Amino acid sequence: MFKTICALLGDPVNPMISMCALPVAGGVLACLSRGRSRGALRMAVALLFGAANLVFALSLYLGGGASGALALGVQGLELRLAVSGIAALMLPFAGLLFLIVAVYAASWFHKREGGGAYMLLLFISLGMLNGALMADNLGVLLFFWEGLLCTLFGLLLIGRRENSKAAVKALALSGTADLILMLGILATARLAGSASMSEIAARPLSADGPGALGCACMLLGAMGKAGAMPFHSWIPEAASDAPAPFLAAFPGSLEKIAGIYLATRIVTDLYEFAPGSPMSLFVMVAGAVTLFFGVAMALIQKDMRRLLSYHAISQVGYMLLGIGTGLPVGIAGGVFHMMNNALYKTGLFVAAGAIEDQTGTTDLHKLGGLRRAMPVTAACFFVCALSIAGVPGTNGFFSKELIFDAALESGTIFYVAALAGAFMTAASFLKLGGAAFFSEARLPQGRRNIREARLGILIPAVLLAALCVLFGAYNALPLQTLIGPALGDAHIHAGWPENGTLVLLSSAVLLLALADHVYGRKKGGGALAAADHIHYAPGIKQAYALAERGLLDPYNWLMAAANGFSAACAWIEGGVTWFYDKAVPGLVTGTGQTLRRFWNGSVSRYLIIAVAGVACICLIFLLAALGEVAP
Amino acid sequence: MSSILNGIPYVFVAAPLFAFILNNAVPRERMRSHAVALSGGVAALQLAAAILGFALLAASGRGEVRFGLFWSVDAAGAAYLRVNLVSLFLLLCVGFVALASALTAAKTIDDHRCSFANLFMALLLGMNGMLLATDLFTLYVFLEITGTASFVLIAMYKSSKGLEGAFKYLTMSALATIMMLTGLALLFMHTGSLAFADLGAAALSGASGEMDILCYGALALLISGFAIKAGAAPFHSWLPDAHQSADTAVSILLSGIVIKIAGAYGFIVLVELFGDLYAVRLSVAALGVATIAFGALLALVQTHFKRIAAYSSVSQVGYILFGIAAGSPLGLVGALLHVFSHAAFKSTLFSGAAALHEQLGTLDIEQMGGLQKNMPVTGFASVTSFLSAAGVPPFAGFWSKLLILISLWQAGWIGLSAAALGLSILTGAYFLRLQKKVFFGPRNPRWDDVKEIGGTIRASQIVLSAVNLGAGLCFPLVLLYLQSIGLI
Amino acid sequence: MIVAVYICLGFMLAFGVIAIMSDGLITAAITLAVTSAASGVLMYLLGAKWAAAFEISVCSGLVTVIFISAVSLSSGDKTKLPAEYQDSRRTKRLPAVLIVAGAALMCAAALTGFSLPAGDAAQTGLTFGETLWETRQADVWGQMIALITGTAAIVVFFKESENR
Amino acid sequence: MSMPTVVLIAGLVMILAGCVGLIRTHHMLKIIIGLEVAMKAVTVFIILGGFLNGRMALAQAFVVTVIVVEVVTAVVLSGIAISLYRKHGSMDIRNLRSLKG
């Protein structure tokens, strides 16, 4: 198929360039759609261009990757694109998810304002993501990376120009991460003597010594895009009021794909990433911290969007933990978990969007009993929730087991953290499911008449849930057919996990979560309050209070530091301004005024000054006569 | 050609003298309306003669032209007058400023026109005589004539302020006279002659090579005397008082040329004769630094238009002193060119003052503002003079200051050249303040009906602005000439 | 001769100081004339006969006349300086200052061994008349121009009325 | 100490006296007195110069010219002083303070 496309378009670089350009064209078309049928037009554009992109990506994947350079006519500057291995796998996966998300978005904006700009930016993001996945040159990668940041900022700004706090926060945090990435890229390129990833991959750099800086910076950049701590705090902020499709697309899938893709490339291709090395430890700690604290924050949320957004953070922790082990099984688990997460987290966001679409709220205090009103949505939700909780047999279970396996091998503490995360994940989803779908409805009068969601929203949800089931029931497909060859690792174990003890422990944790949920329900009086006994436990309560007030948010620390710095700068600048505006002119005019008062018009004084001047000149001559003054 | 060249120097003495006689021979009632025109004619004649003479002398390759007034200069020991390139250039400046002054005087001077013409001619004679002299004592005599004519010109209207300014100038000049004559007497005691040819550092040190303490004293006193005449700080006290109180046409003369001929030319002569003595150049440079700084600082806080212009003259004289103190031919050229560019822009500024005074009746800049609309020509002329004074390329002032800075650098006074450069910021500051207060900003409603000045003052403003800019634009030619004679 | 020179010098100095310190303008004019005359005699003693004649006639004569006419033009018969000027009080330390300055100069000269030659150089060259008329023509022209300037000044100050 | 040295020192002292008179007085006409006293010393200096270097004729020519110039200066000064007297009714130089700064 790729050959056909190549034959149609000529050089292999052309289809790759079109993968960047096509989405942009689609976005422009969607944006230009006007009139009464604009919803249908957008849907058509989303389907057409999403499918075209998917076809291109699939053809690339099935063709075994490609490489090509677009010479820009300037010596030494070429736009080199190369697709192989993990990138080739990620392209169709991203294309698939994008198609689903685009359909969902077109449907979501059917009756809402602002869809045009949103679709435009969404499509451009796809182009940027494709570019980032295909880029061979680190500089080109950085270009697309920044492009992704720009579209993210734009999407967050749409419709909220007055309240742009989340957008600024995202820009600041992701921008910081991108700056660090730039630093890392510079260091890496300098160390390797080349900016081409395929060239570096031939002779990977050592992650010790001078390479540690480049490696750590690049990993931080990748983590920032994926939304790991400490670059996470814009996500809950954006979750409060961003459109639901945004949440599904960005924190849900596209950003994770980009971030984890890069992290995997760094770990497998660019650097010799030895298990147990300080760099490995660094990534694992970051992953463990992210998963633990992310889910701990998710546990206490009373709003569906915020709850899901904290999970989006927490899940990144698992992926990083897996990749950070540096073990083949861990990396495979991380990538697999990323793919699973993209499916079920997007599914969860779509379901949440459907609920919001029908009820007009995501506040769990007001929701309840939707099981009957929205059965399809509820079914999809439960499939995804079981997956994310890692119930044995689901796709999330299999990827988590791989990560647990690797984590246990790397250090017990990481395994314990991962288990604790699994416990809280399960507990929070029990709470969410119970509150939204099982308890009696608490919606205000007049909004009780809830119906099933629209077809345009249901189809993506069902598709995603089906993919989850497929990946869980037949995990050899993703693991052995897709990920294994992509990572160049033929020995990934598919099927039921080998280590029965770990499965037992995981199951025990899930049962514990269920027991805790039942206890909490009884104690708190309802599913919503099921986690309150943890929330308000002595000692933990204070920590949560601090976190809720944003005192533990690195962004706020950064901002406080930045504010302090800018205040200092302003003070210095004020001082300099004062010096030039007040002090110097004041001194000059003050001297002038003093002199002016001194020359008071008296003839005698004039004469005395003149005589004093004569004395001064005589002094010069006296010194000259004595030989004191010489050239 | 040679005979024309030999004849030209006589113009500088004969023309004013003849005009003086004519002015007094014809009955006053009849002369009154023509007196200023007569003065202007003499000035124009002098300008033309100086330009012609300069060109001829430069082409002839002779160093100087000697002549006597109705006496033979060939006899041994006979006194003689002479013109050389330096004095011809300064005679040109004198003629130029005198013409500008006459153009302004045609408008500003109503009464005393005949007296003005008389004193104007006396002043011209005094300055020309100084430039033609070949003897320090002759120089002194003509300096006194210049001074006396200036006092009377300032006091001419016998207004309270004019008399006060003249009195202060006269008192300070009396001190200068005492200083200079004492210095001359001490020099004469040592050398037995005051002719330039017999003087010099070598003549003072004599056979032993050791210089008499009296000679040092004499030089110090001479420098002090010329410093008073030049208005160098801290001897400048009289200058703003005198220049402010005089009629504007007289102020143009005083600020534009008198302080430079009476003061700066004295320094030129002294440095030419005694420049080998480091103390001479050092004290001139020290005077220069003090003059620039004091002048600029005081100009910054004035509220009277002409007083600002007067302090600006003080400040600019400092630059001229710098050029002279460098002691090199390049420094001298820089100083002379600055004399010219300062003469041009200061005449422009004072013409503006005359226009403002005629149209507004006041020169208090606090009461002005926004006059650019009413008086566009005056405003524009003032801007050209400001740019030239601040040393903005390509105006004339830029080039002359540049040459002075280069010569200071070459003389090894790097700190001084940096100071000169730094202090020129103050020049920009006070001129900007003047522009802002007078021509820009909100307009005082009192001046809503003010019209632009017409007649000779407007003509002189236009010509002078053209000179400010044109001289600067032609400057590369001057540089080429300097290069051809090996100065740069 | 030296004694006569010293006497003249003493007269000159003493009457000069009195002229400066006096409160009366006429007194000042007369003492100035005496100073002038003393300096004229001093010049004569040094051999400058023409200059001495000029000094005595013009300075002690003409200047005194000018001065006294100025005084009479300005204050009529009131020849005393008004009390507020108090020149004698303001310059009362002048003699002491002068004595100190003179002594200091004497000491400096003595200490540094400074001394002018005893004088009596053989007079050479032209006579006064020849010098003035044959080598100082420029100065003579200068005198002339100075005199016409003075005339113009007199016209301005004493003939023309105030019009403005 | 030779006679010319004494004359020189006495002349310098007299110039000092003249300058003090110039500076200290408050009366316009007494400015002339101070100036004249100093000028006497200066003319004596010139003559002393001629006496010492044997150019007495030249020195006398100088002195004659100086005297002429001096008289002109005195005339102008008294003219200004009298005009000022007519304005202010007094010869006090302390009245001359309207131009300053």
Side-chain angles (χ1 to χ4, degrees):
Chain A
M1 189 160 67
F2 182 64
K3 288 209 176 84
T4 325
I5 292 175
C6 280
L8 279 174
L9 293 171
D11 195 67
V13 78
N14 288 340
M16 296 200 276
I17 293 292
S18 2
M19 281 186 69
C20 302
L22 263 184
V24 179
V28 171
L29 274 182
C31 184
L32 290 178
S33 305
R34 286 283 182 275
R36 292 179 63 187
S37 57
R38 64 172 191 264
L41 278 172
R42 275 187 206 138
M43 182 61 85
V45 167
L47 278 170
L48 192 64
F49 281 86
N53 175 62
L54 186 57
V55 167
F56 272 90
L58 272 175
S59 74
L60 265 175
Y61 177 66
L62 297 174
S67 165
L70 186 72
L72 294 177
V74 183
Q75 190 68 33
L77 183 67
E78 60 166 23
L79 190 65
R80 184 159 194 85
L81 301 175
V83 176
S84 62
I86 185 85
L89 175 62
M90 285 302 140
L91 276 174
F93 185 68
L96 177 67
L97 271 168
F98 176 79
L99 180 61
I100 295 170
V101 167
V103 169
Y104 170 53
S107 170
W108 168 271
F109 280 109
H110 191 68
K111 282 175 184 155
R112 287 183 171 84
E113 288 300 313
Y118 181 85
M119 294 300 274
L120 174 65
L121 288 171
L122 188 66
F123 271 94
I124 294 176
S125 304
L126 176 68
M128 293 296 162
L129 178 63
N130 282 342
L133 290 175
M134 290 186 293
D136 182 48
N137 190 298
L138 285 173
V140 178
L141 174 88
L142 190 66
F143 168 77
F144 287 116
W145 211 258
E146 300 287 348
L148 213 48
L149 173 64
C150 294
T151 55
L152 172 71
F153 183 61
L155 282 167
L156 281 171
L157 270 185
I158 290 174
R160 287 191 311 265
R161 295 229 180 76
E162 305 81 38
N163 182 19
S164 55
K165 197 166 162 246
V168 172
K169 205 167 180 177
L171 187 69
L173 286 169
S174 289
T176 312
D178 287 4
L179 271 179
I180 297 174
L181 177 67
M182 189 190 291
L183 214 72
I185 284 176
L186 283 175
T188 305
R190 177 155 175 75
L191 277 176
S194 162
S196 163
M197 286 204 275
S198 49
E199 281 177 33
I200 299 175
R203 289 180 293 111
L205 299 163
S206 163
D208 298 323
L213 176 73
C215 184
C217 286
M218 285 194 73
L219 279 170
L220 276 171
M223 281 153 62
K225 189 57 80 186
M229 283 180 185
F231 303 106
H232 67 285
S233 62
W234 64 272
I235 298 175
E237 189 104 19
S240 310
D241 56 354
F246 170 80
L247 292 178
F250 277 83
S253 53
L254 299 185
E255 296 225 294
K256 302 281 181 288
I257 293 175
I260 295 305
Y261 159 73
L262 184 61
T264 315
R265 285 300 294 265
I266 296 165
V267 169
T268 57
D269 282 357
L270 301 183
Y271 284 92
E272 287 171 343
F273 196 84
S277 67
M279 200 52 63
S280 161
L281 204 65
F282 162 66
V283 179
M284 284 167 75
V285 167
V289 165
T290 304
L291 87 86
F292 184 82
F293 289 104
V295 79
M297 286 306 292
L299 187 62
I300 61 159
Q301 299 304 319
K302 300 286 165 67
D303 183 279
M304 200 158 53
R305 282 162 161 259
R306 286 180 70 84
L307 190 146
L308 288 175
S309 72
Y310 274 113
H311 275 294
I313 298 163
S314 152
Q315 293 297 311
V316 180
Y318 282 109
M319 305 164 202
L320 286 175
L321 186 60
I323 292 170
T325 58
L327 300 166
V329 62
I331 296 173
V335 174
F336 188 29
H337 195 69
M338 188 273 286
M339 294 171 82
N340 291 335
N341 171 66
L343 295 173
Y344 57 65
K345 183 50 57 60
T346 311
L348 285 170
F349 274 123
V350 171
I355 292 170
E356 187 186 349
D357 209 19
Q358 299 304 318
T359 63
T361 180
T362 55
D363 190 348
L364 290 177
H365 291 111
K366 296 176 188 162
L367 292 171
L370 293 172
R371 177 173 42 110
R372 283 182 212 91
M374 307 172 73
V376 184
T377 311
C380 294
F381 179 86
F382 282 117
V383 169
C384 294
L386 290 175
S387 293
I388 198 173
V391 173
T394 61
N395 57 348
F397 164 75
F398 291 114
S399 55
K400 264 189 196 168
E401 283 310 311
L402 291 174
I403 293 168
F404 287 165
D405 202 355
L408 188 60
E409 201 165 323
S410 304
T412 319
I413 176 77
F414 296 114
Y415 177 63
V416 172
L419 269 189
F423 167 77
M424 285 192 276
T425 309
S428 67
F429 272 97
L430 283 169
K431 176 179 115 179
L432 175 57
F437 291 97
F438 284 100
S439 327
E440 73 279 18
R442 285 182 290 260
L443 280 170
Q445 205 69 33
R447 299 218 55 173
R448 292 269 168 86
N449 192 12
I450 306 297
R451 275 177 303 190
E452 183 54 276
R454 282 199 302 277
L455 208 60
I457 293 176
L458 275 187
I459 290 172
V462 170
L463 262 176
L464 289 163
L467 279 169
C468 279
V469 171
L470 175 68
F471 275 26
Y474 185 56
N475 63 16
L477 168 70
L479 277 172
Q480 282 182 332
T481 315
L482 302 177
I483 298 170
L487 289 172
D489 185 353
H491 305 292
I492 294 177
H493 176 77
W496 198 256
E498 285 173 320
N499 195 334
T501 326
L502 289 186
V503 176
L504 274 180
L505 271 172
S506 304
S507 307
V509 162
L510 289 180
L511 287 174
L512 200 62
L514 187 62
D516 175 72
H517 180 67
V518 172
Y519 167 74
R521 258 178 107 137
K522 209 167 265 175
K523 195 180 176 206
L528 187 59
D532 283 358
H533 66 282
I534 300 175
H535 187 176
Y536 296 111
I540 298 175
K541 187 172 74 176
Q542 286 82 358
Y544 270 124
L546 285 178
E548 287 284 276
R549 273 159 53 201
L551 290 178
L552 298 182
D553 183 352
Y555 174 81
N556 288 348
W557 303 343
L558 196 72
M559 282 301 119
N563 283 339
F565 180 69
S566 66
C569 286
W571 188 80
I572 292 170
E573 202 265 344
V576 171
T577 310
W578 175 85
F579 182 74
Y580 284 116
D581 283 3
K582 296 269 153 43
V584 171
L587 187 69
V588 168
T589 49
T591 318
Q593 295 289 1
T594 312
L595 289 174
R596 202 178 165 193
R597 274 194 294 280
F598 185 66
W599 265 272
N600 63 354
S602 153
V603 180
S604 305
R605 181 168 285 187
Y606 286 6
L607 289 166
I608 290 170
I609 295 167
V611 169
V614 175
C616 289
I617 290 177
C618 288
L619 187 69
I620 292 178
F621 274 86
L622 191 65
L623 290 176
L626 298 175
E628 298 285 334
V629 181
Chain B
M1 275 310 178
S2 182
S3 59
I4 297 177
L5 183 55
N6 286 334
I8 278 175
Y10 291 95
V11 174
F12 303 124
V13 186
L17 207 55
F18 177 73
F20 186 95
I21 293 165
L22 185 69
N23 193 28
N24 292 291
V26 179
R28 286 208 148 198
E29 295 72 37
R30 199 172 297 169
M31 196 61 219
R32 203 176 160 274
S33 48
H34 306 298
V36 174
L38 182 68
S39 322
V42 171
L45 186 61
Q46 166 152 357
L47 183 61
I51 292 172
L52 185 61
F54 190 89
L56 290 177
L57 190 60
S60 73
R62 289 163 68 185
E64 59 178 21
V65 177
R66 297 184 177 193
F67 70 106
L69 291 171
F70 313 116
W71 79 81
S72 165
V73 297
D74 301 325
Y80 62 91
L81 302 176
R82 60 104 180 80
V83 290
N84 55 19
L85 287 178
V86 172
S87 61
L88 275 171
F89 184 81
L90 287 170
L91 285 164
L92 185 157
C93 295
V94 172
F96 173 65
V97 177
L99 190 58
S101 164
L103 284 175
T104 308
K107 190 102 179 174
T108 59
I109 299 207
D110 298 329
D111 321 309
H112 309 287
R113 288 176 91 95
C114 289
S115 289
F116 173 77
N118 275 344
L119 292 161
F120 193 95
M121 291 304 116
L123 188 63
L124 274 189
L125 279 170
M127 288 194 283
N128 292 356
M130 281 186 74
L131 295 171
L132 300 173
T134 57
D135 184 298
L136 267 186
F137 189 78
T138 313
L139 188 77
Y140 159 77
V141 173
F142 282 98
L143 178 62
E144 285 293 334
I145 294 164
T146 311
T148 311
S150 308
F151 312 144
V152 187
L153 275 171
I154 295 168
M156 198 168 58
Y157 283 118
K158 285 180 275 184
S159 66
S160 173
K161 289 201 167 159
L163 288 167
E164 179 181 337
F167 184 83
K168 285 176 174 171
Y169 187 7
L170 182 45
T171 317
M172 294 292 281
S173 279
L175 194 65
T177 302
I178 297 170
M179 302 289 167
M180 281 159 92
L181 266 183
T182 313
L184 286 180
L186 294 177
L187 273 186
F188 171 67
M189 198 182 286
H190 204 268
T191 59
S193 166
L194 288 174
F196 294 162
D198 301 329
L199 289 174
L204 293 190
S205 28
S208 64
E210 279 286 305
M211 219 173 84
D212 205 9
I213 182 78
L214 283 186
C215 292
Y216 280 110
L219 289 177
L221 290 172
L222 276 176
I223 286 176
S224 311
F226 282 123
I228 292 177
K229 288 287 185 181
F235 306 98
H236 67 277
S237 326
W238 61 270
L239 191 145
D241 294 358
H243 290 199
Q244 178 191 343
S245 57
D247 186 275
T248 309
V250 179
S251 298
I252 291 179
L253 273 175
L254 293 176
S255 249
I257 201 73
V258 169
I259 52 171
K260 286 154 206 160
I261 302 299
Y265 182 67
F267 284 116
I268 291 177
V269 168
L270 283 184
V271 170
E272 212 158 83
L273 293 178
F274 307 109
D276 294 342
L277 281 176
Y278 183 64
V280 173
R281 293 198 294 123
L282 181 68
S283 47
V284 175
L287 280 172
V289 128
T291 305
I292 296 176
F294 275 61
L297 284 172
L298 279 158
L300 210 50
V301 294
Q302 302 302 327
T303 55
H304 192 279
F305 192 108
K306 279 166 77 174
R307 211 169 169 81
I308 294 175
Y311 272 118
S312 146
S313 296
V314 173
S315 182
Q316 298 299 322
V317 162
Y319 284 100
I320 297 170
L321 293 188
F322 265 165
I324 296 166
S328 59
L330 185 65
L332 179 61
V333 169
L336 289 176
L337 290 171
H338 201 60
V339 167
F340 178 77
S341 49
H342 178 247
F345 70 70
K346 197 44 60 68
S347 304
T348 318
L349 202 63
F350 273 114
S351 302
L356 289 171
H357 191 253
E358 290 293 315
Q359 304 302 98
L360 268 55
T362 177
L363 282 173
D364 186 356
I365 62 168
E366 299 291 348
Q367 294 178 29
M368 300 183 191
L371 290 169
Q372 178 72 43
K373 279 236 170 61
N374 304 52
M375 309 180 72
V377 176
T378 308
F380 176 75
S382 177
V383 167
T384 63
S385 75
F386 152 54
L387 292 175
S388 187
V392 175
F395 288 88
F398 165 74
W399 299 101
S400 45
K401 274 191 187 175
L402 185 69
L403 287 184
I404 289 170
L405 288 185
I406 293 172
S407 66
L408 277 181
W409 190 278
Q410 284 176 349
W413 284 333
I414 291 157
L416 272 191
S417 63
L421 201 61
L423 287 167
S424 66
I425 293 172
L426 287 182
T427 310
Y430 65 73
F431 265 110
L432 207 57
R433 174 173 172 267
L434 183 71
Q435 290 293 328
K436 204 179 107 198
K437 294 230 172 190
V438 177
F439 294 107
F440 308 144
R443 185 168 61 201
N444 187 337
R446 215 171 121 196
W447 313 125
D448 280 346
D449 302 327
V450 166
K451 296 271 186 305
E452 177 59 281
I453 188 100
T456 50
I457 293 186
R458 179 193 280 205
S460 110
Q461 280 186 334
I462 292 170
V463 170
L464 287 168
S465 331
V467 169
N468 280 334
L469 187 58
L473 290 176
C474 295
F475 220 92
L477 298 177
V478 179
L479 292 180
L480 282 178
Y481 172 69
L482 291 177
Q483 205 166 25
S484 74
I485 60 171
L487 266 183
I488 300 176
Chain C
M1 183 191 101
I2 289 178
V3 177
V5 166
Y6 286 163
I7 290 171
C8 286
L9 212 52
F11 266 92
M12 210 171 99
L13 209 53
F15 280 95
V17 171
I18 292 170
I20 286 166
M21 291 179 67
S22 70
D23 277 342
L25 284 178
I26 299 298
T27 326
I30 290 166
T31 42
L32 183 66
V34 174
T35 312
S36 211
S39 75
V41 174
L42 180 58
M43 288 177 195
Y44 179 84
L45 290 173
L46 289 175
K49 300 185 173 58
W50 286 100
F54 249 83
E55 178 72 39
I56 290 170
S57 62
V58 177
C59 273
S60 60
L62 187 56
V63 172
T64 311
V65 170
I66 292 169
F67 190 83
I68 290 179
S69 38
V71 170
S72 54
L73 271 174
S74 63
S75 52
D77 55 352
K78 203 167 75 180
T79 52
K80 263 290 207 206
L81 269 182
E84 71 260 26
Y85 295 120
Q86 295 186 322
D87 272 16
S88 59
R89 194 181 61 75
R90 285 171 57 76
T91 53
K92 71 170 181 250
R93 280 192 295 275
L94 181 60
V97 169
L98 294 183
I99 288 166
V100 169
L105 284 172
M106 289 270 188
C107 291
L111 284 176
T112 56
F114 174 85
S115 179
L116 288 173
D120 267 343
Q123 294 297 323
T124 57
L126 310 168
T127 63
F128 167 70
E130 285 165 342
T131 309
L132 186 64
W133 293 107
E134 283 167 28
T135 69
R136 307 302 308 172
Q137 293 100 326
D139 294 356
V140 177
W141 279 93
Q143 287 183 31
M144 228 172 72
I145 297 168
L147 286 173
I148 61 172
T149 313
T151 325
I154 289 171
V155 170
V156 166
F157 289 122
F158 298 105
K159 196 170 161 217
E160 288 179 351
S161 55
E162 288 172 43
N163 302 76
R164 251 194 204 182
Chain D
M1 202 171 281
S2 62
M3 180 272 282
T5 317
V6 176
V7 175
L8 181 76
I9 289 171
L12 288 176
V13 168
M14 197 153 156
I15 290 172
L16 180 64
C19 289
V20 170
L22 205 62
I23 293 170
R24 291 298 285 171
T25 185
H26 283 159
H27 195 281
M28 288 176 200
L29 288 178
K30 286 212 61 185
I31 297 262
I32 300 182
I33 302 282
L35 174 64
E36 287 291 324
V37 167
M39 289 301 268
K40 292 304 124 197
V42 172
T43 46
V44 167
F45 273 4
I46 295 173
I47 295 300
L48 185 67
F51 176 74
L52 288 175
N53 61 23
R55 300 286 191 90
M56 185 57 84
L58 187 56
Q60 292 191 69
F62 288 160
V63 167
V64 169
T65 315
V66 166
I67 287 170
V68 170
V69 171
E70 206 183 311
V71 169
V72 172
T73 310
V75 167
V76 172
L77 185 48
S78 50
I80 293 174
I82 289 165
S83 304
L84 274 170
Y85 176 80
R86 287 178 183 157
K87 285 270 166 208
H88 296 292
S90 122
M91 284 259 186
D92 196 334
I93 60 171
R94 283 169 296 186
N95 294 332
L96 305 181
R97 296 258 179 109
S98 62
L99 300 167
K100 63 183 173 188

